[in-house]
Each structure stands twice: as C-alpha cells, then as structure tokens.
Amino acid sequence: MSKFKKISLLIAIIIVFVSLFFVVSCTKCYVQQYELIECNVQSNEINNSDNTIVYNRKFIGNGTEIYFDSELKDVEKIDKWIEKVLGFSSRATDCEIYSLPTIYFSDNLIANYTNSDNASYVTLPTTLSEEEAFAWILQAVSGGDLPYGIFAGIAVHLLNKDNYDGFIVSSVENDTCLTDLQYPLYEQDNLSQNEQQYAWSFSYHVVKELIGVGKTFAEIFNLTKQDLNSFLQEKYKLTLPDYTFCPYSTQFEYKINHGCLTYYINKEFNDFVLPKEVFNTSYTSVTDWLKDNMSIVELTDSIFGVTEMGEIDVIVEDGSKSIGVAGEAYADYIKIYSVGVFSHEYTHHALFNTGQDGLVSETLCDIHANTSEYAQAMWYYILTCKSETYPYAQSINEKQHYLSALELYEKRSGQEVSCENFNYWLFADCLSALSTQPNQPFLFRLQAHSFYYYIARVYGVEIVMELNDYKNVVAGKTVEVLVDEWLDYLQQIK
C-alpha cells in the first residue's frame, strides 16, 4: 500500500470515529426545552406509602404544577411528559375542565389520585401510555363515581387515538368481564394484549355512541353512575359490577370496594394453598372470587340473622408471610393467606356480630366448606395432599393420615375424587373413622366437625346451636352419650 493510500485510510478512520463521537455526544447533550424550578418536596401521603418520595424539580404552566421525583434523570423524557400534560390541559377544556390537578411523576409509584376539599393530586409513573395518564387525570378531576373506563374512552377521543375504533358490538355476549370498565382492564402488562385492546376499544365505542346520541364531552364527563348504567343496559344489555376497583399503593395495587368489604390485594400475591391455575391476581380470577365471597356473605347473614355488618377490611397477604394459618379474623378486618378461607373468617364476624360465638364456632365457620367454590378448592388441595405449598405437619404424619382417609373416601363415595365433586363432610367422616380413638384427644379439626355434622343430620341444627351455647344435655342426652353414638356411626363408615 502506498504512503498516500495509508494516509487516506487513516483520515477515513479518523472521520468515522469523530462522527461516532459526535452522534454519541449529541445524544448525551440533549438541551432541556422547559424550565424547571428547583424544589424540595417530600411526600408519602398521596401514594399510601411508607416510603417518602423526594421531588426536587417542578414545572408550572397553564395553571398546572408538575413535580418530578429526584430519581428521574432523563430530561428528554421529562420534557415529553411536560409537553403531553400541556396538551391534556388544552384538550380538557372540551370537558369544561380549565385547570388540571397537581401532578407528581415518579416511577416508584403506581397511578393514583387523591381528592381533598381544596385540591386534587395525581401520581403517575413515566411508563404509562399517554391515554392512560390522561384518563387518570380526568378521573381525578371528576371526583365522582364513574369507573375508570369511561374516562379512558373520553381520553382516546380527545387525543384522537382512532386505533381503538372498530369494536364489534355482538362480541359483548362472550366478553366475560372485559366490559366492566374497571381500571385493571386498562393497565399495561396486566391482561393479554388482545384483552387490553378489547377493553380500550369498548370504552372508545361507548363514548362514540354517547356522542352519537347528542352528548357533549362535558355531559359524558358529568354522567352519574346510574345514567351510565341505564345506557349500558339499554344499548348492550350490560350492567356495571357492584364492586369497584381503586388504585391504592405499590404494596396493595388493588383496593376494591364491595358492599361492607374493602379488599387490599397485591398483584404479586401467592396463595398459601392453591396453585396459580386455581387462583391468581388476574382480573377475571379476582372478580370470580369477589362474586363467590358476596354470595357467601348473603348466605351467612341469612343463616345467622345478621341485619347490619360493620365495615371490614380484607387484607390479602402473600402466603409466604403466614406462620401456619391460612387466615385470621379481627374486630374490623380479616387477614387472608389463602383465598379459600374467606367464608370461614367472615362467618367469625357474623358470629361475633350476633353474639353466637360459642363452643361450636370453628365448625360453624366451616359451614360453607362445600358452598363456597374457593373453600371447597382449598380443602380439596389440602386434604388430597395436592397442595405444593401447604406445610403438612410431619410430627403427626399428617399427609399419611389424609391419604389413608382418601382411599376410604373414594370407596364410600363410589367415584374418583375431584375438585368439583369433593365433599368435605364425607372426608371428615372418613378421616375421623380412621383417626379417632375413644377417650383420646383429636388430632384434626375435622374430627370435631364430623361429630357436630352428625348431630345436625340426626337431631337437627338447633341441637348443634344448643351445644354451641355450652349445654351439656341436649335432646334428652348428655354429650358423652352423643359421642358414643357418633363413634358407633364411624365404625359403620370404616
């Protein structure tokens, strides 16, 4: 190679390196377009968190204050969100909204809002889509009881997001619960992409239809929940659910109001007993559980004469935090480590409420072992030893006792056991028949349940309630005589 060619090649290489350096340098030297004001705002109140978030910069424009978490370093992303919020401000006037709430951006929080007497606050992570963020801002301003989905529909229209058009009305017959308009349906990385697209498209279509009958954006924004429900019933034969999902915190993303119950659920929840294919925190799974719970509430209240139950918080804690129990009942809240124990713990509240908490309480609390879908599933997985997470007691050979009882159970029932046909009370009898010794303490709670269930079948539920009141003589017989009768019955089972 000639000297001239070597020099030309060297120059070319230098030019390439300089060009690369220039490109890299430019990407690192983005010049911020919007002027930020330094501040030092610390808050943990608006995000229901024990962790204090420090906001060290803010932007003021169009009457809106926007605060940024000190951990947000990408100034280009900050600029883009300021630009989006300013766009929200101008588009919100179509809803007769002329000032937006104070907005806090932090990737350490979930989307949430707080309304006080004097102001509204919104927290937004920067990972949200434009339409998600705008919908949260609209809902925060509304202060009403409309579900998130209606604001999602307004947002996509005002932002001209026509990619949600094309909803097929006939599909609502098979949509399960994707038209509930509840906010988990619209979250990123929560449903499948098709399911999320369906929910957004439905919202777009509902708002489009409301506009078609002459409603303005402002009128849609100010609809009452009753008016919206009437429209959905007339147009689609749909009814809004009687539960309401609300954002809460990074620890308990789902706060759900349902009658006298307020649930707090972490999306990372792992059940103490059940596998994920039976229960997980997907929207369809959670709502199915809520419906099962409400049917149990109504049935329990009817059985025990509850006329008015106080507010109860239901805290769904990760099963790994349990110390060997699946649930706990307290004065005004319930802790749940396996969703199957809801019926048991709620019945404790019903017994407390009506003054019927007595000797037979634990049996009465399992009265729904076969009427609650999730209680039945929980007992099925525990007692057939199919649970991979339940801590079976090795000291009493718990698993072996259950497996032996399962053999007798299938012989007595005449069919192979399944989650759908599992009979808790028959299993209690079979376990008791194999494990009960005269004058020996019970190893399992199911033995006491078997005894009281026998009394209910032979003598009536009212006799069980008399035993619950600590009576020693019922139906003209002492408890000792009744126990002997039950032991004779167990011999027949064996």
Side-chain angles (χ1 to χ4, degrees):
M1 182 181 294
S2 68
K3 185 176 182 181
F4 176 75
K5 288 182 177 180
K6 288 181 179 179
I7 293 172
S8 298
L9 180 60
L10 181 61
I11 291 172
I13 292 172
I14 291 171
I15 289 172
V16 169
F17 274 107
V18 169
S19 299
L20 287 172
F21 177 79
F22 179 76
V23 170
V24 172
S25 297
C26 285
T27 58
K28 291 184 177 180
C29 296
Y30 174 82
V31 179
Q32 192 153 22
Q33 299 176 31
Y34 294 96
E35 181 181 355
L36 299 181
I37 303 170
E38 290 187 5
C39 62
N40 185 13
V41 175
Q42 299 184 20
S43 176
N44 60 356
E45 295 178 357
I46 65 170
N47 46 267
N48 301 303
S49 173
D50 292 333
N51 299 321
T52 298
I53 308 295
V54 177
Y55 302 90
N56 65 350
R57 292 150 296 164
K58 70 177 179 179
F59 172 83
I60 301 177
N62 285 8
T64 299
E65 290 189 8
I66 310 173
Y67 290 82
F68 295 94
D69 187 338
S70 59
E71 294 185 12
L72 293 175
K73 308 296 186 183
D74 189 334
V75 293
E76 185 175 4
K77 182 183 287 187
I78 289 173
D79 267 352
K80 287 180 178 179
W81 271 111
I82 292 174
E83 187 174 346
K84 288 175 183 178
V85 172
L86 292 176
F88 298 162
S89 181
S90 62
R91 290 178 172 89
T93 57
D94 286 351
C95 294
E96 298 180 0
I97 299 170
Y98 302 103
S99 63
L100 299 187
T102 302
I103 300 170
Y104 293 83
F105 277 100
S106 173
D107 289 342
N108 294 310
L109 303 175
I110 64 169
N112 199 355
Y113 65 91
T114 301
N115 290 317
S116 64
D117 293 336
N118 301 316
S120 295
Y121 307 90
V122 181
T123 59
L124 300 172
T126 62
T127 53
L128 291 182
S129 68
E130 184 179 25
E131 50 267 43
E132 279 181 279
F134 194 18
W136 282 119
I137 291 170
L138 291 173
Q139 185 165 34
V141 175
S142 76
D145 59 355
L146 288 179
Y148 176 85
I150 201 68
F151 301 106
I154 294 173
V156 293
H157 275 276
L158 292 179
L159 294 171
N160 298 315
K161 303 280 185 178
D162 57 4
N163 55 306
Y164 294 116
D165 202 0
F167 182 79
I168 301 173
V169 177
S170 61
S171 67
V172 298
E173 296 175 1
N174 304 308
D175 67 13
T176 62
C177 54
L178 297 178
T179 56
D180 278 358
L181 301 176
Q182 299 288 318
Y183 91 85
L185 299 173
Y186 303 85
E187 290 182 302
Q188 298 177 43
D189 304 320
N190 190 32
L191 304 178
S192 71
Q193 187 174 355
N194 287 340
E195 288 173 322
Q196 188 192 45
Q197 180 76 16
Y198 186 98
W200 279 97
S201 297
F202 178 69
S203 290
Y204 182 96
H205 182 80
V206 169
V207 172
K208 183 179 179 180
E209 290 295 308
L210 287 165
I211 293 170
V213 297
K215 298 286 186 184
T216 65
F217 284 112
E219 288 171 332
I220 298 170
F221 180 81
N222 289 299
L223 281 173
T224 65
K225 190 173 183 179
Q226 182 177 354
D227 288 339
L228 175 61
N229 205 32
S230 296
F231 176 81
L232 294 174
Q233 287 177 319
E234 181 179 351
K235 189 72 180 178
Y236 310 102
K237 295 182 173 61
L238 297 174
T239 302
L240 290 173
D242 53 5
Y243 43 80
T244 303
F245 282 72
C246 313
Y248 188 68
S249 71
T250 52
Q251 181 183 3
F252 295 108
E253 292 96 338
Y254 292 160
K255 176 183 176 183
I256 309 165
N257 297 315
H258 197 193
C260 67
L261 306 169
T262 302
Y263 296 85
Y264 297 88
I265 302 177
N266 189 332
K267 286 194 292 188
E268 302 302 318
F269 170 74
N270 294 291
D271 198 279
F272 188 53
V273 176
L274 300 173
K276 288 188 179 298
E277 60 265 25
V278 177
F279 180 84
N280 54 65
T281 54
S282 67
Y283 183 77
T284 52
S285 188
V286 170
T287 54
D288 186 65
W289 181 58
L290 294 176
K291 293 170 186 174
D292 188 72
N293 290 353
M294 192 49 61
S295 68
I296 292 302
V297 167
E298 294 170 356
L299 182 57
T300 304
D301 289 355
S302 173
I303 290 173
F304 295 107
V306 177
T307 56
E308 184 176 352
M309 180 64 77
E311 298 294 320
I312 302 173
D313 288 341
V314 182
I315 302 166
V316 184
E317 288 275 19
D318 195 297
S320 63
K321 296 181 180 180
S322 175
I323 56 173
V325 294
E328 307 162 42
Y330 296 91
D332 57 356
Y333 69 97
I334 294 170
K335 273 194 176 182
I336 282 180
Y337 303 100
S338 177
V339 295
V341 300
F342 173 82
S343 62
H344 181 101
E345 304 303 344
Y346 181 80
T347 304
H348 270 305
H349 280 270
L351 295 174
F352 292 146
N353 180 282
T354 55
Q356 298 176 79
D357 183 46
L359 180 65
V360 191
S361 292
E362 287 301 322
T363 297
L364 295 174
C365 286
D366 281 325
I367 195 172
H368 299 302
N370 275 130
T371 57
S372 163
E373 173 188 346
Y374 290 91
Q376 179 168 312
M378 179 187 71
W379 285 118
Y380 166 79
Y381 275 89
I382 291 175
L383 298 176
T384 60
C385 301
K386 294 184 182 297
S387 176
E388 297 181 359
T389 51
Y390 181 77
Y392 295 96
Q394 295 182 7
S395 60
I396 58 171
N397 295 320
E398 186 174 9
K399 259 193 174 184
Q400 188 55 52
H401 279 284
Y402 291 162
L403 292 173
S404 298
L406 181 60
E407 290 184 22
L408 179 58
Y409 172 95
E410 290 188 334
K411 184 184 296 184
R412 297 295 300 179
S413 66
Q415 58 183 340
E416 185 176 350
V417 66
S418 70
C419 190
E420 290 71 28
N421 68 21
F422 184 68
N423 186 322
Y424 173 85
W425 301 103
L426 175 58
F427 193 98
D429 284 348
C430 291
L431 180 66
S432 299
L434 297 177
S435 304
T436 305
Q437 299 297 326
N439 303 316
Q440 294 296 314
F442 292 158
L443 287 175
F444 306 102
R445 62 193 288 178
L446 275 72
Q447 291 169 270
H449 293 1
S450 171
F451 170 65
Y452 291 120
Y453 196 63
Y454 167 81
I455 300 302
R457 288 198 307 271
V458 175
Y459 294 98
V461 175
E462 65 277 6
I463 302 302
V464 175
M465 297 310 294
E466 289 185 31
L467 291 171
N468 186 55
D469 290 334
Y470 298 93
K471 291 188 178 180
N472 292 319
V473 177
V474 294
K477 299 181 179 181
T478 65
V479 174
E480 289 75 17
V481 170
L482 295 173
V483 169
D484 287 340
E485 287 185 10
W486 171 63
L487 291 174
D488 290 340
Y489 163 73
L490 294 181
Q491 289 300 316
Q492 299 171 31
I493 292 289
K494 193 186 301 185

